[in-house]
Amino acid sequence: MSKSRPAVVFTEMSGRAWAVLAVLCGAIFLEGIDVAMLNVALPSIRADLGLSTGMLSGVVSAYVLGYGGFMLLGGRAADLLGRRRMFLLWLTVFLLFSGLGGLATAGWMLLTARFVTGVAAAFMAPAGLSLITTNFAEGPARNKALLVYAGIAAGGFSLGMVVGGLLTALGWRWVFFAPVLFSGLILVAAFVLVRDATVPEGVSGGFDLPGAFSVTGSMLLLVYGVVRLEHPSDGVVLTVAVFGAGLLLLAYFVWNERRSASPLVRLDILRSGTLVRTNVIALLFVGSFAGFQFSATLYFQELRGWSTVQTGLAMAVIGVDAVLAPMLTPRLVDRFGNARVVFGGVLLAVLAYAMFLPTDLDRTYAAMFPAMLLLGVAFALVYGPLTIAGTEGIAEQDQGLAGGLLYTAFQFGFALGISAVTAVNVAAIAAGDSEIDALRTALIVPVLTAALAGAVAAFGLRRIAPSDRGLASDELENVKVVSK
């Protein structure tokens, strides 16, 4: 077991606590806004660099592969090698390769930059989350910090479309250069303010390299398999082979972890039903939103002919969660508990997606606005509580791992959601549907995915007795089936 030295753990939201939280929130906001800005800038990048459709898709997929493939390794590295150390190192890598993306003159440069940026995010995000869970004492202080953190994270992705549209109007390279400036400021502030609650002085028993390589290879292959589902008729045999290889590596990883003297991932962490259900809900909820966001962007820009700025502004209201999450969600969690709040938020998401289904080519934005607003409220109710539940009750030495599991679920959900709606859209057009009819068919996927998340969340409500209403969040540990 590695030795550690104690540091200050915040038990209340002091001025320094807010400063540390602001730095960590800035990093996760940067990660969210970076992804969203690139999505809006893709048409301009293709036009300037002359990229093929395959290369353009590869630029998006490269980030997903790096992020999803290295997330578990990133989470465990934070626990074993030091959370602050990993946070600062990989924030620096994020800065450098974002800048390389802005200097790209060919598709391969952009693809490389996005892959390494995704890897950097895979190490940075769980390190940042575990810095919060270890620097803020479990209870009101940690819950407050996590709800603010989750709200800023979700708001970053929502607002990124607006910012991306504005920056793309100046030139698509600013979509890469702006994060360089922002991450530079965060890096300086983090170096001064952020400290580890515990700092490993050494890794006893060595590092589980077979486990690290096998789980990373498995995640890379499985994410790539999901991405390939976007074009279901393109090499079915290869797609099946990729999934098969990924599952084989995953089976080897499990076998290795069971016999390793110092496993990369302690498998007994998965005995927590709350943690498992939380990650399932996270995967489904984010998957439904990713599919909806992709379809809505296609609808606004390609079918309605709206500009990137108009599209970003149309979806900006979803960013209301950044305001509601720290103000409204804590009160609701204290009053009703995590399980009920998450379940209510998922139901709102189902309603929002269903309200968007009857869309057509001349529907007014006023008619679509309520669905966008409901989706923003849903994010405020779900994303933060899932973050709390996904890390609560986990031993301090496993906080990075718990964060890695949660972000892996988010990333898999994101990739699966986009791939599913794309596959359905392509199949519908191949069957003879018009583009708008195919889009409406694809929009059924987010509705069903969110409904499935609601079913998983509802399973936990059966375990809540009437007297549990209003209990403090730490008293609801066994109730939080929908742990964030």
Side-chain angles (χ1 to χ4, degrees), residues 300-323:
F300 288 136
Q301 292 194 37
E302 296 196 0
L303 298 186
R304 297 291 295 268
W306 291 11
S307 68
T308 56
V309 175
Q310 288 174 311
T311 299
L313 291 174
M315 302 186 74
V317 67
I318 300 175
V320 72
D321 63 326
V323 177

PDB file of all heavy atoms in Angstrom, residues 300-323:
ATOM      1  N   PHE A 300     -31.303  21.212 -38.180  1.00  0.00           N
ATOM      2  CA  PHE A 300     -31.185  22.664 -38.287  1.00  0.00           C
ATOM      3  C   PHE A 300     -30.300  23.094 -39.449  1.00  0.00           C
ATOM      4  O   PHE A 300     -30.671  23.987 -40.217  1.00  0.00           O
ATOM      5  CB  PHE A 300     -30.619  23.241 -36.980  1.00  0.00           C
ATOM      6  CG  PHE A 300     -31.575  23.216 -35.826  1.00  0.00           C
ATOM      7  CD1 PHE A 300     -31.138  22.800 -34.568  1.00  0.00           C
ATOM      8  CD2 PHE A 300     -32.897  23.605 -35.976  1.00  0.00           C
ATOM      9  CE1 PHE A 300     -32.014  22.771 -33.491  1.00  0.00           C
ATOM     10  CE2 PHE A 300     -33.777  23.585 -34.904  1.00  0.00           C
ATOM     11  CZ  PHE A 300     -33.339  23.159 -33.657  1.00  0.00           C
ATOM     12  N   GLN A 301     -29.139  22.454 -39.595  1.00  0.00           N
ATOM     13  CA  GLN A 301     -28.169  22.932 -40.574  1.00  0.00           C
ATOM     14  C   GLN A 301     -28.397  22.376 -41.975  1.00  0.00           C
ATOM     15  O   GLN A 301     -28.330  23.125 -42.956  1.00  0.00           O
ATOM     16  CB  GLN A 301     -26.745  22.598 -40.107  1.00  0.00           C
ATOM     17  CG  GLN A 301     -26.314  23.372 -38.879  1.00  0.00           C
ATOM     18  CD  GLN A 301     -24.816  23.299 -38.627  1.00  0.00           C
ATOM     19  OE1 GLN A 301     -24.022  23.307 -39.570  1.00  0.00           O
ATOM     20  NE2 GLN A 301     -24.424  23.234 -37.372  1.00  0.00           N
ATOM     21  N   GLU A 302     -28.660  21.069 -42.089  1.00  0.00           N
ATOM     22  CA  GLU A 302     -28.738  20.467 -43.425  1.00  0.00           C
ATOM     23  C   GLU A 302     -30.151  20.473 -43.999  1.00  0.00           C
ATOM     24  O   GLU A 302     -30.322  20.634 -45.213  1.00  0.00           O
ATOM     25  CB  GLU A 302     -28.176  19.044 -43.382  1.00  0.00           C
ATOM     26  CG  GLU A 302     -26.699  19.001 -43.029  1.00  0.00           C
ATOM     27  CD  GLU A 302     -26.060  17.673 -43.367  1.00  0.00           C
ATOM     28  OE1 GLU A 302     -26.763  16.780 -43.884  1.00  0.00           O
ATOM     29  OE2 GLU A 302     -24.856  17.516 -43.105  1.00  0.00           O
ATOM     30  N   LEU A 303     -31.163  20.314 -43.153  1.00  0.00           N
ATOM     31  CA  LEU A 303     -32.533  20.292 -43.672  1.00  0.00           C
ATOM     32  C   LEU A 303     -33.190  21.663 -43.655  1.00  0.00           C
ATOM     33  O   LEU A 303     -33.984  21.977 -44.536  1.00  0.00           O
ATOM     34  CB  LEU A 303     -33.384  19.297 -42.865  1.00  0.00           C
ATOM     35  CG  LEU A 303     -32.929  17.833 -42.918  1.00  0.00           C
ATOM     36  CD1 LEU A 303     -33.934  16.941 -42.201  1.00  0.00           C
ATOM     37  CD2 LEU A 303     -32.745  17.370 -44.352  1.00  0.00           C
ATOM     38  N   ARG A 304     -32.850  22.478 -42.663  1.00  0.00           N
ATOM     39  CA  ARG A 304     -33.439  23.816 -42.588  1.00  0.00           C
ATOM     40  C   ARG A 304     -32.518  24.895 -43.139  1.00  0.00           C
ATOM     41  O   ARG A 304     -32.969  26.020 -43.384  1.00  0.00           O
ATOM     42  CB  ARG A 304     -33.787  24.146 -41.125  1.00  0.00           C
ATOM     43  CG  ARG A 304     -34.839  23.240 -40.485  1.00  0.00           C
ATOM     44  CD  ARG A 304     -36.225  23.448 -41.085  1.00  0.00           C
ATOM     45  NE  ARG A 304     -36.749  24.765 -40.835  1.00  0.00           N
ATOM     46  CZ  ARG A 304     -37.515  25.095 -39.789  1.00  0.00           C
ATOM     47  NH1 ARG A 304     -37.830  24.168 -38.890  1.00  0.00           N
ATOM     48  NH2 ARG A 304     -37.977  26.319 -39.646  1.00  0.00           N
ATOM     49  N   GLY A 305     -31.231  24.569 -43.320  1.00  0.00           N
ATOM     50  CA  GLY A 305     -30.299  25.539 -43.891  1.00  0.00           C
ATOM     51  C   GLY A 305     -29.874  26.632 -42.925  1.00  0.00           C
ATOM     52  O   GLY A 305     -29.444  27.707 -43.357  1.00  0.00           O
ATOM     53  N   TRP A 306     -29.933  26.375 -41.629  1.00  0.00           N
ATOM     54  CA  TRP A 306     -29.524  27.376 -40.652  1.00  0.00           C
ATOM     55  C   TRP A 306     -27.998  27.427 -40.557  1.00  0.00           C
ATOM     56  O   TRP A 306     -27.307  26.444 -40.810  1.00  0.00           O
ATOM     57  CB  TRP A 306     -30.099  27.046 -39.275  1.00  0.00           C
ATOM     58  CG  TRP A 306     -31.593  27.196 -39.186  1.00  0.00           C
ATOM     59  CD1 TRP A 306     -32.469  27.378 -40.229  1.00  0.00           C
ATOM     60  CD2 TRP A 306     -32.393  27.166 -37.997  1.00  0.00           C
ATOM     61  NE1 TRP A 306     -33.754  27.457 -39.766  1.00  0.00           N
ATOM     62  CE2 TRP A 306     -33.744  27.340 -38.392  1.00  0.00           C
ATOM     63  CE3 TRP A 306     -32.112  27.020 -36.646  1.00  0.00           C
ATOM     64  CZ2 TRP A 306     -34.797  27.358 -37.490  1.00  0.00           C
ATOM     65  CZ3 TRP A 306     -33.145  27.036 -35.734  1.00  0.00           C
ATOM     66  CH2 TRP A 306     -34.482  27.223 -36.151  1.00  0.00           C
ATOM     67  N   SER A 307     -27.477  28.582 -40.162  1.00  0.00           N
ATOM     68  CA  SER A 307     -26.033  28.739 -39.994  1.00  0.00           C
ATOM     69  C   SER A 307     -25.590  28.099 -38.678  1.00  0.00           C
ATOM     70  O   SER A 307     -26.417  27.725 -37.835  1.00  0.00           O
ATOM     71  CB  SER A 307     -25.666  30.223 -39.982  1.00  0.00           C
ATOM     72  OG  SER A 307     -26.171  30.850 -38.804  1.00  0.00           O
ATOM     73  N   THR A 308     -24.262  28.001 -38.509  1.00  0.00           N
ATOM     74  CA  THR A 308     -23.741  27.439 -37.261  1.00  0.00           C
ATOM     75  C   THR A 308     -24.123  28.314 -36.061  1.00  0.00           C
ATOM     76  O   THR A 308     -24.414  27.801 -34.976  1.00  0.00           O
ATOM     77  CB  THR A 308     -22.216  27.306 -37.329  1.00  0.00           C
ATOM     78  OG1 THR A 308     -21.636  28.590 -37.638  1.00  0.00           O
ATOM     79  CG2 THR A 308     -21.797  26.305 -38.381  1.00  0.00           C
ATOM     80  N   VAL A 309     -24.120  29.622 -36.260  1.00  0.00           N
ATOM     81  CA  VAL A 309     -24.496  30.524 -35.165  1.00  0.00           C
ATOM     82  C   VAL A 309     -25.968  30.339 -34.810  1.00  0.00           C
ATOM     83  O   VAL A 309     -26.337  30.259 -33.633  1.00  0.00           O
ATOM     84  CB  VAL A 309     -24.211  31.987 -35.538  1.00  0.00           C
ATOM     85  CG1 VAL A 309     -24.721  32.924 -34.447  1.00  0.00           C
ATOM     86  CG2 VAL A 309     -22.712  32.203 -35.757  1.00  0.00           C
ATOM     87  N   GLN A 310     -26.840  30.266 -35.817  1.00  0.00           N
ATOM     88  CA  GLN A 310     -28.264  30.067 -35.562  1.00  0.00           C
ATOM     89  C   GLN A 310     -28.514  28.734 -34.857  1.00  0.00           C
ATOM     90  O   GLN A 310     -29.332  28.659 -33.930  1.00  0.00           O
ATOM     91  CB  GLN A 310     -29.040  30.100 -36.889  1.00  0.00           C
ATOM     92  CG  GLN A 310     -29.151  31.476 -37.514  1.00  0.00           C
ATOM     93  CD  GLN A 310     -29.809  31.428 -38.889  1.00  0.00           C
ATOM     94  OE1 GLN A 310     -29.432  30.617 -39.747  1.00  0.00           O
ATOM     95  NE2 GLN A 310     -30.791  32.284 -39.107  1.00  0.00           N
ATOM     96  N   THR A 311     -27.808  27.705 -35.293  1.00  0.00           N
ATOM     97  CA  THR A 311     -27.970  26.388 -34.661  1.00  0.00           C
ATOM     98  C   THR A 311     -27.531  26.428 -33.201  1.00  0.00           C
ATOM     99  O   THR A 311     -28.212  25.900 -32.317  1.00  0.00           O
ATOM    100  CB  THR A 311     -27.146  25.331 -35.415  1.00  0.00           C
ATOM    101  OG1 THR A 311     -27.610  25.252 -36.768  1.00  0.00           O
ATOM    102  CG2 THR A 311     -27.290  23.967 -34.759  1.00  0.00           C
ATOM    103  N   GLY A 312     -26.397  27.054 -32.957  1.00  0.00           N
ATOM    104  CA  GLY A 312     -25.906  27.156 -31.585  1.00  0.00           C
ATOM    105  C   GLY A 312     -26.859  27.921 -30.693  1.00  0.00           C
ATOM    106  O   GLY A 312     -27.149  27.507 -29.559  1.00  0.00           O
ATOM    107  N   LEU A 313     -27.388  29.032 -31.195  1.00  0.00           N
ATOM    108  CA  LEU A 313     -28.333  29.822 -30.408  1.00  0.00           C
ATOM    109  C   LEU A 313     -29.632  29.055 -30.171  1.00  0.00           C
ATOM    110  O   LEU A 313     -30.242  29.177 -29.102  1.00  0.00           O
ATOM    111  CB  LEU A 313     -28.622  31.146 -31.117  1.00  0.00           C
ATOM    112  CG  LEU A 313     -27.458  32.142 -31.173  1.00  0.00           C
ATOM    113  CD1 LEU A 313     -27.820  33.350 -32.023  1.00  0.00           C
ATOM    114  CD2 LEU A 313     -27.069  32.590 -29.764  1.00  0.00           C
ATOM    115  N   ALA A 314     -30.056  28.267 -31.161  1.00  0.00           N
ATOM    116  CA  ALA A 314     -31.290  27.495 -31.018  1.00  0.00           C
ATOM    117  C   ALA A 314     -31.190  26.494 -29.874  1.00  0.00           C
ATOM    118  O   ALA A 314     -32.177  26.217 -29.175  1.00  0.00           O
ATOM    119  CB  ALA A 314     -31.609  26.766 -32.323  1.00  0.00           C
ATOM    120  N   MET A 315     -29.996  25.946 -29.661  1.00  0.00           N
ATOM    121  CA  MET A 315     -29.806  24.932 -28.628  1.00  0.00           C
ATOM    122  C   MET A 315     -29.196  25.497 -27.344  1.00  0.00           C
ATOM    123  O   MET A 315     -28.956  24.759 -26.389  1.00  0.00           O
ATOM    124  CB  MET A 315     -28.940  23.799 -29.166  1.00  0.00           C
ATOM    125  CG  MET A 315     -29.532  23.130 -30.403  1.00  0.00           C
ATOM    126  SD  MET A 315     -28.619  21.681 -30.963  1.00  0.00           S
ATOM    127  CE  MET A 315     -29.088  20.482 -29.710  1.00  0.00           C
ATOM    128  N   ALA A 316     -28.981  26.816 -27.317  1.00  0.00           N
ATOM    129  CA  ALA A 316     -28.327  27.429 -26.158  1.00  0.00           C
ATOM    130  C   ALA A 316     -29.154  27.294 -24.893  1.00  0.00           C
ATOM    131  O   ALA A 316     -28.606  27.223 -23.785  1.00  0.00           O
ATOM    132  CB  ALA A 316     -28.046  28.905 -26.432  1.00  0.00           C
ATOM    133  N   VAL A 317     -30.479  27.237 -25.023  1.00  0.00           N
ATOM    134  CA  VAL A 317     -31.340  27.170 -23.839  1.00  0.00           C
ATOM    135  C   VAL A 317     -31.091  25.904 -23.026  1.00  0.00           C
ATOM    136  O   VAL A 317     -31.346  25.871 -21.808  1.00  0.00           O
ATOM    137  CB  VAL A 317     -32.825  27.268 -24.251  1.00  0.00           C
ATOM    138  CG1 VAL A 317     -33.255  26.035 -25.040  1.00  0.00           C
ATOM    139  CG2 VAL A 317     -33.712  27.441 -23.018  1.00  0.00           C
ATOM    140  N   ILE A 318     -30.552  24.862 -23.676  1.00  0.00           N
ATOM    141  CA  ILE A 318     -30.224  23.637 -22.940  1.00  0.00           C
ATOM    142  C   ILE A 318     -29.199  23.943 -21.850  1.00  0.00           C
ATOM    143  O   ILE A 318     -29.160  23.278 -20.805  1.00  0.00           O
ATOM    144  CB  ILE A 318     -29.699  22.551 -23.903  1.00  0.00           C
ATOM    145  CG1 ILE A 318     -30.763  22.209 -24.945  1.00  0.00           C
ATOM    146  CG2 ILE A 318     -29.307  21.291 -23.144  1.00  0.00           C
ATOM    147  CD1 ILE A 318     -30.301  21.231 -26.007  1.00  0.00           C
ATOM    148  N   GLY A 319     -28.394  24.981 -22.076  1.00  0.00           N
ATOM    149  CA  GLY A 319     -27.389  25.369 -21.095  1.00  0.00           C
ATOM    150  C   GLY A 319     -27.953  25.964 -19.819  1.00  0.00           C
ATOM    151  O   GLY A 319     -27.189  26.317 -18.912  1.00  0.00           O
ATOM    152  N   VAL A 320     -29.274  26.050 -19.697  1.00  0.00           N
ATOM    153  CA  VAL A 320     -29.884  26.537 -18.459  1.00  0.00           C
ATOM    154  C   VAL A 320     -29.513  25.650 -17.279  1.00  0.00           C
ATOM    155  O   VAL A 320     -29.580  26.079 -16.122  1.00  0.00           O
ATOM    156  CB  VAL A 320     -31.422  26.614 -18.615  1.00  0.00           C
ATOM    157  CG1 VAL A 320     -32.040  25.221 -18.640  1.00  0.00           C
ATOM    158  CG2 VAL A 320     -32.044  27.438 -17.488  1.00  0.00           C
ATOM    159  N   ASP A 321     -29.082  24.417 -17.575  1.00  0.00           N
ATOM    160  CA  ASP A 321     -28.703  23.510 -16.487  1.00  0.00           C
ATOM    161  C   ASP A 321     -27.509  24.045 -15.690  1.00  0.00           C
ATOM    162  O   ASP A 321     -27.366  23.751 -14.503  1.00  0.00           O
ATOM    163  CB  ASP A 321     -28.385  22.118 -17.031  1.00  0.00           C
ATOM    164  CG  ASP A 321     -27.192  22.106 -17.961  1.00  0.00           C
ATOM    165  OD1 ASP A 321     -26.996  23.092 -18.689  1.00  0.00           O
ATOM    166  OD2 ASP A 321     -26.457  21.117 -17.970  1.00  0.00           O
ATOM    167  N   ALA A 322     -26.649  24.842 -16.340  1.00  0.00           N
ATOM    168  CA  ALA A 322     -25.499  25.399 -15.624  1.00  0.00           C
ATOM    169  C   ALA A 322     -25.936  26.355 -14.517  1.00  0.00           C
ATOM    170  O   ALA A 322     -25.222  26.538 -13.529  1.00  0.00           O
ATOM    171  CB  ALA A 322     -24.583  26.129 -16.604  1.00  0.00           C
ATOM    172  N   VAL A 323     -27.126  26.957 -14.674  1.00  0.00           N
ATOM    173  CA  VAL A 323     -27.674  27.849 -13.651  1.00  0.00           C
ATOM    174  C   VAL A 323     -28.504  27.071 -12.636  1.00  0.00           C
ATOM    175  O   VAL A 323     -28.392  27.275 -11.421  1.00  0.00           O
ATOM    176  CB  VAL A 323     -28.540  28.944 -14.306  1.00  0.00           C
ATOM    177  CG1 VAL A 323     -29.177  29.831 -13.241  1.00  0.00           C
ATOM    178  CG2 VAL A 323     -27.708  29.780 -15.275  1.00  0.00           C
TER     179      VAL A 323
END
